[in-house]
Amino acid sequence: MTDQTTAQAADPVHAFIAQTVAEHDVVLFMKGTPDAPRCGFSSLAVQILDHVGAAFVGVDVLQDEALRDGIKSFTDWPTIPQLYVKGEFVGGSDIVREMFQAGELQALMVEKGVALGEA
């Protein structure tokens, strides 16, 4: 067992996060749901993902305080939303916005095979 696997076994929230990220190509840990975001940053991330044509799963961290805290410690990233693509942490709202504006997010989604577009 690796240290991370051991830590996940000891922390069911981290295990849930790891399983969710492993099972879905694109996951947005957010405040609210994709249909009803509950903060501007989550809303922005949803709009960007919709614009690039990425099918994604939204996980509402407001439903569980342990999850809201756990996602921050899982990535060592202090803010929500948090975007994962093919198991890799991409970043929060500001990074997603900057990548989108530079065309990098679209390229990443196409490269990973999770969005419409040309390679």
Side-chain angles (χ1 to χ4, degrees):
M1 249 190 191
T2 66
D3 288 342
Q4 185 174 10
T5 305
T6 303
Q8 288 170 358
D11 186 340
V13 171
H14 283 196
F16 168 78
I17 294 167
Q19 180 178 352
T20 302
V21 168
E23 289 178 353
H24 303 282
D25 288 342
V26 182
V27 181
L28 183 66
F29 288 89
M30 61 183 290
K31 293 179 179 176
T33 64
D35 292 334
R38 292 188 50 200
C39 83
F41 297 109
S42 291
S43 178
L44 177 64
V46 168
Q47 289 175 34
I48 289 170
L49 290 172
D50 285 346
H51 186 78
V52 299
F56 68 98
V57 171
V59 178
D60 184 1
V61 301
L62 296 178
Q63 297 299 313
D64 184 349
E65 188 171 336
L67 178 58
R68 187 169 61 241
D69 293 337
I71 190 65
K72 294 175 185 179
S73 63
F74 185 80
T75 53
D76 195 26
W77 190 261
T79 60
I80 296 166
Q82 293 187 12
L83 178 64
Y84 290 79
V85 177
K86 291 283 190 166
E88 293 181 32
F89 175 58
V90 175
S93 182
D94 289 345
I95 290 173
V96 169
R97 184 188 71 240
E98 290 168 11
M99 289 178 69
F100 172 72
Q101 290 172 336
E104 296 168 0
L105 185 65
Q106 299 89 317
L108 173 70
M109 296 294 191
V110 170
E111 174 188 316
K112 298 287 187 177
V114 295
L116 304 174
E118 297 175 11

